[in-house]
Amino acid sequence: MKTAELRALNDASLVSKLVETREELFNLRFQIATAQSDKSARIGELRKEVARIETLIREREIAAHEAAEE
């Protein structure tokens, strides 16, 4: 997903998307290890997507904390 699409999601949807992406990454790693798949480039895509989602979640946490301080 693009970053703009991820930003449009609410917090709960973002967390569920993170869980789904991590599960897909795990399954893909398992398939590659057992020689059932040859989509090794997809691993990099999924790792970047996980990082994007975690970054957005952290940005929202920081914004909420700053808003609570004011």
Side-chain angles (χ1 to χ4, degrees):
M1 290 184 93
K2 301 279 185 173
T3 306
E5 295 171 349
L6 291 172
R7 286 190 190 279
L9 298 175
N10 62 18
D11 291 342
S13 299
L14 203 56
V15 171
S16 67
K17 180 69 176 166
L18 179 62
V19 170
E20 290 172 12
T21 306
R22 283 186 174 163
E23 286 176 5
E24 184 180 351
L25 180 60
F26 173 79
N27 291 332
L28 183 60
R29 284 182 179 154
F30 190 83
Q31 289 173 358
I32 290 173
T34 59
Q36 294 177 351
S37 179
D38 58 348
K39 298 179 182 178
S40 59
R42 181 79 174 126
I43 287 179
E45 295 171 6
L46 290 173
R47 289 181 65 207
K48 288 179 183 178
E49 188 168 336
V50 167
R52 278 187 204 105
I53 295 170
E54 288 178 342
T55 300
L56 289 174
I57 290 172
R58 183 66 181 144
E59 284 177 359
R60 291 179 183 184
E61 288 174 355
I62 291 169
H65 180 70
E66 288 176 352
E69 285 183 350
E70 293 177 357

